[in-house]
Amino acid sequence: MALQFLVGFVVSVINIMIHALVTVGAIGIARSAGLRHRKRPRLHLMAVMVGTAAALMVAHTLEVFVWALAYLFVGAAPAGSDLLYFAFVNYTTLGYGDITPVQAWRLTGPMTAMNGILMFGWSTAVLFEVLRKTLERFASIGAPGFSSADRG
């Protein structure tokens, strides 16, 4: 059991590092993009949000790959299982249950789910912050259609 927790902890830390790198990059890009005044700020805002969401989705996909590699390395799934599918189902907490971990690694599924929930919550916070900061910036520069009253 201790080995399962150790492997889950190490994989979770690797995923947290991936998410931190992508978050810092996405926020930096969103911040610099938000500093530019555009003739169509609503379109610009949409582009910033889509770009941020896409970057975060790439991070989540990389994190699922890390879990799939961990499953492969420790032999957590039954022979012949689709490890990427198994990792996605666990990471997203979908929980179909059509593939279950081998008995010796049964805690990896819930640990993957716990890591996924944390990363999705983090992504939600990032998206909200990018939106808030971009709206705040547009209001401060007097972009058409944006005012300080919009900030709520």
Side-chain angles (χ1 to χ4, degrees):
M1 185 182 326
L3 185 56
Q4 292 179 69
F5 281 115
L6 178 63
V7 169
F9 176 77
V10 169
V11 174
S12 293
V13 167
I14 290 168
N15 283 345
I16 290 166
M17 292 181 341
I18 290 169
H19 218 76
L21 285 170
V22 172
T23 296
V24 168
I27 288 175
I29 292 168
R31 182 176 290 142
S32 68
L35 293 176
R36 290 185 232 126
H37 182 54
R38 302 280 184 175
K39 291 180 183 175
R40 297 186 174 133
R42 292 183 194 284
L43 185 61
H44 183 70
L45 173 62
M46 186 174 70
V48 167
M49 295 306 297
V50 167
T52 303
L56 291 167
M57 287 181 67
V58 168
H60 288 290
T61 303
L62 288 172
E63 292 155 13
V64 169
F65 273 101
V66 171
W67 276 108
L69 287 173
Y71 294 161
L72 177 65
F73 181 72
V74 300
S81 298
D82 182 345
L83 295 177
L84 189 58
Y85 168 78
F86 182 49
F88 258 111
V89 167
N90 285 322
Y91 184 87
T92 61
T93 70
L94 191 55
Y96 281 142
D98 54 341
I99 303 174
T100 56
V102 296
Q103 186 67 22
W105 290 96
R106 67 180 179 205
L107 291 177
T108 57
M111 292 183 79
T112 305
M114 184 173 64
N115 183 235
I117 289 169
L118 177 63
M119 298 299 101
F120 284 121
W122 184 347
S123 292
T124 302
V126 169
L127 285 168
F128 181 77
E129 184 64 9
V130 166
L131 175 63
R132 190 181 71 77
K133 286 292 192 180
T134 305
L135 289 174
E136 186 177 276
R137 176 65 183 151
F138 283 161
S140 73
I141 62 173
F146 295 89
S147 71
S148 58
D150 294 335
R151 290 187 267 174

